[in-house]
Every structure is written in C-alpha cells, then in structure tokens.
Amino acid sequence: MRAPLQFKAGRAAIELIEREGLQPENVAAIAGAAGGPKWLVLAAMDKFLFGEWLKRREAPLPLVGSSIGSWRLAAVSTADPIAAINRLERLYVEQCYSGKPSLREVTDTATRLLDALLGEQGTKEILAHPWARLHVVTAACRGWTGLDKTLPMALGFAGALLLNTVKRDWLSVFLERHVFADPRGGLAESAFPGFKTNILPLTDSNLQQSLLASGSIPFVLEAISMPGQAGRYRDGGLIDYHMDLPLSQEGVVLMPHFSKTLLPGWLDKYIGSRGMSNGANTLVIHPSDEWIATLPNQKIPDRTDFKSYRDDDVGRFRDWYNVAGRSQELADFLEERLLKQDLPDFIEPL
C-alpha cells in the first residue's frame, strides 16, 4: 500500500527542507483548516507535534485556524496539549442531537463543548503560553448573512456565492475577515490578503466566544455576537477554508490537513477551478487515498455522518473513535520521517 501520508509543498518550502530538514525552529507558522469531524484523522498528529516535537520550542509561533482548526489550535495551546486533544476528541465524538436539531440546540451544544474543553484555566493558559500565539479566524457578517431566519439568510448567502463566483475578493461585500489574535503579536495584516481584514486582540473575555463564532456554520448554528463588537459572526472557513494565506515569507508554514483538496474559501467548493495561490512556503501533510479507503465507510468522518447515523449514535461513536485511534498510524509515519529527516524523498510539489 502507498504510504499513509502524503507531503506536498511550495517551492520555497521544498528548498528549505532539502537544505535544512524540517526542524521545530524553522516552522514559521501552523495553519488549521476548517472541516468539522474530518479533524479526527489529525488527532494523533496534533498530540505528537505539540506534545513532543515542538514542546522545547522557545521562539513565538503563530497558530492560525478557522472553525475546527481554531478549536484544535486552542486545545494544543493549553498547558497540557495531549490531555486537551484527548478531551476535544471525546467531546466532539460524543455530541448527540435530536432528530432535527434547531440552530439553538446545536449552538448550545457547541457552547457546552467549549466550556468543557477550556475549563476554568484554559483561556488563561492559552494567553500565557510561552510560544504559541493563537489566531482565530472569523467571518463578520454584513447584511442578511448575519440573520438566522432561513429565507433571508439563504438570500444573503446566495448573493455571497454569486459575487464569490465572479471574484473571490467581492465576497467581502457580505463577509469581512476578523482575526482575533494573541495580543503579544505574531502576524501582520499582510498575512491576510484579499479582504478587508481586522486584527483584533484575543482577551480573557472574548477567546471562547471567538472560537464559537469561528465554528458557527450557516444554517447549522446561530450567528454569534462578540463582546465589544458590533454585528454578528460566523464560521471563519467561509473566507479561509483551507488557509490559502501567506503566513510567512521565511520558514515553513505547516498545515496538517485531512484532504488532498485545497480550496481558499468554503464557497469555492461550488466553483471547482479555484486553487491555492499563496502556498510557496507551505507544507501540507494529508492522508493518502489508499489509507482513507481502509477506514470505516472508506472515508474520513464528515458532517453527513450526523444524518447517516441519526438513529445510531453508538455506531457513530464506534466508527469515529476507530478513526481517531487509527490516526496514530499517521503520527507514527510522520515521526519516522522527522527522525530520519528523509522528507525530501516523499515531498511532491504543491
């Protein structure tokens, strides 16, 4: 069988890795893509990278995530990243809903999940982390995209889809990128091109709410209000789905990913021809198709599982935990490559 992991990188990242290898010190940023339950294939890699490989790092490291990517990166920015990812895994897998959950039910469930994930000290630990600098990407709504009633929300997003199809930058008519960032610094606004972008400070009072906003999927969760900010917020993946961002001009931007698909924004999935344009320094690590074919249902978990397992939560728990456990195979393969420093033998052009 083909190797369980594939490595794809831009030209600058390939040259650096061929010259220096991939070291904790030459990682300039880490990106976390949106994707819901798909993150479960990355659980063991997150534990290895943050619980072992990076733990002796000293220089500040920007962590930039949208939606579940921001939740993962918040978890690994706590004092015990391995325990936090284990906690996120359990909380995420064991979500349960009624047959047709309302926006309020899903929003309340997500709120309780983040309460349990962060606990009493999580926010303070994140904001005091010695080197992790969390950046939470959200979409600030304009017009009807911020409403929760189905018809006006649908009309708002139909307009957003239409403008995005013509030109990605025009999406900013309906959605603005607001990044809630560790106030100790990390990334300039130039790291977030293409939209009107506001970089706002993460604080003890808004960190958990920004995570909730970053995961607020339209038609699934309610739009979220942010302390001290006007308007309402939704899923950061609407703008930055797979983190097509120039997060650094030096070093490697590392993105453990769950798919070979790379799309700038969530709405770009309806276009098909729009790919990444800011990947020169990026190294993407994702499972191979052959490995994915060995998983339950021959696929990575996704949000459709909530419907297909609607009357079988126990079955969903079993299969999702199976995938999370199998993710150790990916972590082991990555660890072997980093020990042997033979990544150039595996890297393909991005």
Side-chain angles (χ1 to χ4, degrees):
M1 188 178 82
R2 189 175 185 177
L5 275 181
Q6 290 185 259
F7 302 83
K8 295 176 182 174
R11 179 176 297 178
I14 290 174
E15 291 174 355
L16 187 150
I17 293 168
E18 288 178 341
R19 186 173 64 249
E20 302 178 12
L22 184 64
Q23 309 290 344
E25 295 76 17
N26 61 22
V27 175
I30 293 182
K38 297 172 186 175
W39 85 274
L40 291 168
V41 297
L42 306 177
M45 269 200 286
D46 285 343
K47 286 183 273 190
F48 163 66
L49 288 171
F50 290 90
E52 299 179 37
W53 192 63
L54 288 165
K55 67 180 180 181
R56 292 183 180 86
R57 186 185 172 99
E58 296 181 356
L61 180 63
L63 311 179
V64 184
S66 63
S67 199
I68 191 61
S70 70
W71 294 20
R72 289 170 46 223
L73 294 176
V76 298
S77 299
T78 60
D80 189 342
I82 294 176
I85 287 293
N86 284 335
R87 193 159 59 248
L88 178 59
E89 179 185 310
R90 174 179 56 80
L91 293 165
Y92 200 93
V93 168
E94 296 183 9
Q95 297 176 79
C96 289
Y97 297 98
S98 60
K100 279 190 166 183
S102 65
L103 303 187
R104 167 51 53 184
E105 180 183 346
V106 182
T107 305
D108 285 346
T109 300
T111 301
R112 289 192 297 269
L113 188 158
L114 289 170
D115 283 341
L117 174 64
L118 296 175
E120 293 183 2
Q121 298 300 317
T123 295
K124 292 181 173 61
E125 292 170 1
I126 292 167
L127 294 173
H129 195 281
W131 49 262
R133 302 292 185 262
L134 181 64
H135 294 63
V136 180
V137 180
T138 68
C141 299
R142 302 184 68 182
W144 286 357
T145 58
L147 301 179
D148 288 329
K149 291 188 179 298
T150 301
L151 180 58
M153 180 168 37
L155 291 172
F157 278 101
L161 176 61
L162 177 62
L163 290 186
N164 181 70
T165 301
V166 178
K167 188 175 182 181
R168 175 165 154 76
D169 292 2
W170 289 1
L171 181 59
S172 59
V173 172
F174 289 94
L175 299 166
E176 292 182 0
R177 180 195 286 127
H178 285 198
V179 182
F180 291 85
D182 190 309
R184 293 172 293 177
L187 293 174
E189 192 169 321
S190 59
F192 302 96
F195 287 84
K196 181 178 179 181
T197 298
N198 288 330
I199 298 181
L200 305 162
L202 269 179
T203 66
D204 191 67
S205 63
N206 71 17
L207 190 149
Q208 181 169 331
Q209 198 73 351
S210 72
L211 294 172
L212 182 63
S214 189
S216 175
I217 304 166
F219 307 99
V220 178
L221 281 81
E222 296 173 340
I224 305 301
S225 298
M226 291 292 298
Q229 301 297 320
R232 307 183 80 196
Y233 289 76
R234 293 198 185 274
D235 197 306
L238 291 164
I239 296 173
D240 294 303
Y241 191 36
H242 294 156
M243 298 289 110
D244 179 24
L245 297 168
L247 298 179
S248 177
Q249 302 303 317
E250 299 179 0
V252 174
V253 176
L254 180 61
M255 186 167 77
H257 195 29
F258 35 75
S259 170
K260 63 184 179 183
T261 301
L262 294 165
L263 295 173
W266 186 81
L267 294 173
D268 293 327
K269 65 172 65 178
Y270 300 106
I271 299 174
S273 60
R274 187 174 289 162
M276 291 185 73
S277 58
N278 295 294
N281 289 74
T282 300
L283 171 62
V284 177
I285 306 172
H286 68 83
S288 67
D289 289 343
E290 291 81 358
W291 185 83
I292 292 170
T294 68
L295 298 177
N297 305 311
Q298 293 77 55
K299 72 177 185 70
I300 293 173
D302 58 45
R303 287 196 299 115
T304 65
D305 290 349
F306 284 111
K307 290 184 178 179
S308 56
Y309 289 85
R310 179 174 291 166
D311 299 318
D312 185 16
D313 284 332
V314 172
R316 177 171 59 81
F317 295 174
R318 178 196 63 234
D319 290 344
W320 282 16
Y321 274 127
N322 180 302
V323 171
R326 292 279 310 279
S327 73
Q328 187 62 49
E329 298 167 23
L330 306 182
D332 290 344
F333 188 81
L334 175 60
E335 182 177 12
E336 184 178 3
R337 304 284 68 75
L338 294 174
L339 286 172
K340 293 183 176 180
Q341 284 299 319
D342 59 0
L343 271 182
D345 296 337
F346 293 85
I347 292 179
E348 305 169 40
L350 184 61

